[in-house]
Amino acid sequence: MNSDTALADMAKKFFGRVDSLSDEQDLWLECAKLEWNLVGIDESVGGAGGSLRDLATLHIESGRGSASIPLLEDATARACLADAGLLNRIDGAHMVTLHAERVRSVDGVLSGSVSNVPWASSAEYVVVATDDAKLPWSLVNLRSEGVRIDPGINIAGEPRDAVHFEKCSPETSWSPSAITRPVDVQLRCALLRGCQLLGVLEKAVELSSSYAQDREQFGKPINKFQAVATIWP
């Protein structure tokens, strides 16, 4: 068994327990304890090692298990911080979120509002993109003065909050590398979200196939009927 298969099997078993856990917070705490939000970040800068492919595997299995947790946002935010050598600035934080659409920055002070920020009401920090051409990333303590959060949810019932910055001074701001420019981070997020959706679709196929095998009509499983068998043999 190679490492890719071992990780996939481990993640499948872990996320297959979603229904047995008391709530999403328990699931996230266990996931963070395994340091899966640090996968793809080099160990020399505080990460768990591994590659983007390994992180993609975790996202596929989280989608398969219908896990409603901020793995995508937290892992991506930490990767941006690690790339800048700033991962130690959030030591002890159990959740960090991300927003890659730009906020106005004047002399390093943030003003304006962003919507649909995942889990902002639960996270301690947000990594947010700004319109400062030289320092387009900022780390903001979401409990600091000058930050207001209006809770909201998306169609799946997941937290998607509005965050308002009122002359807010970030913890730090930095210039990204070639792989952590805001536009590149948006593409990375799209890739990982696609992996989650792949896991969802794979699970839907599994359930449909199982139903076609177990459901009987006129004395035989429905996958024995020609019209169904062409789809679910």
Side-chain angles (χ1 to χ4, degrees), residues 98-112:
L98 174 86
H99 196 78
E101 294 182 14
R102 291 174 173 80
V103 174
R104 186 183 181 196
S105 176
V106 179
D107 296 327
V109 177
L110 308 185
S111 297

Side-chain angles (χ1 to χ4, degrees), residues 44-65:
S44 64
V45 293
S51 64
L52 181 59
R53 179 174 177 174
D54 294 323
L55 188 61
T57 295
L58 294 176
H59 280 76
I60 291 171
E61 297 307 329
S62 72
R64 189 195 302 274

Side-chain angles (χ1 to χ4, degrees), residues 11-231:
K12 185 178 293 185
K13 291 178 182 178
F14 177 83
F15 290 116
R17 299 168 48 233
V18 169
D19 291 339
S20 67
L21 295 170
S22 60
D23 56 33
E24 295 163 2
Q25 185 72 7
D26 288 343
L27 179 65
W28 174 244
L29 290 175
E30 286 200 39
C31 189
K33 187 175 180 181
L34 290 169
E35 295 188 340
W36 282 354
N37 56 338
L38 293 170
V39 168
I41 300 174
D42 195 88
E43 294 179 69
S44 64
V45 293
S51 64
L52 181 59
R53 179 174 177 174
D54 294 323
L55 188 61
T57 295
L58 294 176
H59 280 76
I60 291 171
E61 297 307 329
S62 72
R64 189 195 302 274
S66 300
S68 181
I69 55 175
L71 179 60
L72 187 157
E73 295 80 15
D74 188 285
T76 305
R78 292 178 194 265
C80 289
L81 288 164
D83 184 66
L86 296 169
L87 197 55
N88 63 330
R89 297 295 294 266
I90 56 167
D91 279 349
H94 87 287
M95 188 187 298
V96 186
T97 189
L98 174 86
H99 196 78
E101 294 182 14
R102 291 174 173 80
V103 174
R104 186 183 181 196
S105 176
V106 179
D107 296 327
V109 177
L110 308 185
S111 297
S113 302
V114 289
S115 59
N116 296 314
V117 182
W119 281 276
S121 54
S122 300
E124 292 103 318
Y125 295 93
V126 60
V127 171
V128 63
T130 77
D131 63 2
D132 186 326
K134 294 182 178 179
L135 301 172
W137 282 120
S138 287
L139 174 67
V140 177
N141 186 325
L142 288 168
R143 305 296 176 261
S144 64
E145 185 177 352
V147 178
R148 179 169 58 87
I149 299 173
D150 291 332
I153 57 173
N154 64 10
I155 194 172
E158 299 170 319
R160 292 295 184 272
D161 309 316
V163 180
H164 308 281
F165 302 99
E166 301 168 2
K167 296 182 178 180
C168 171
S169 296
E171 298 280 307
T172 185
S173 298
W174 68 96
S175 179
S177 73
I179 62 172
T180 56
R181 296 173 303 172
V183 64
D184 295 309
V185 170
Q186 287 177 324
L187 291 173
R188 175 190 174 106
C189 289
L191 169 66
L192 295 176
R193 188 70 75 200
C195 289
Q196 289 178 323
L197 292 173
L198 174 60
V200 171
L201 292 172
E202 287 181 347
K203 184 63 176 182
V205 169
E206 290 175 11
L207 292 173
S208 298
S209 180
S210 177
Y211 179 82
Q213 180 177 340
D214 297 339
R215 177 75 167 87
E216 291 191 0
Q217 190 69 29
F218 305 113
K220 62 180 180 180
I222 63 173
N223 69 345
K224 299 301 181 182
F225 292 91
Q226 183 176 359
V228 180
T230 57
I231 304 173

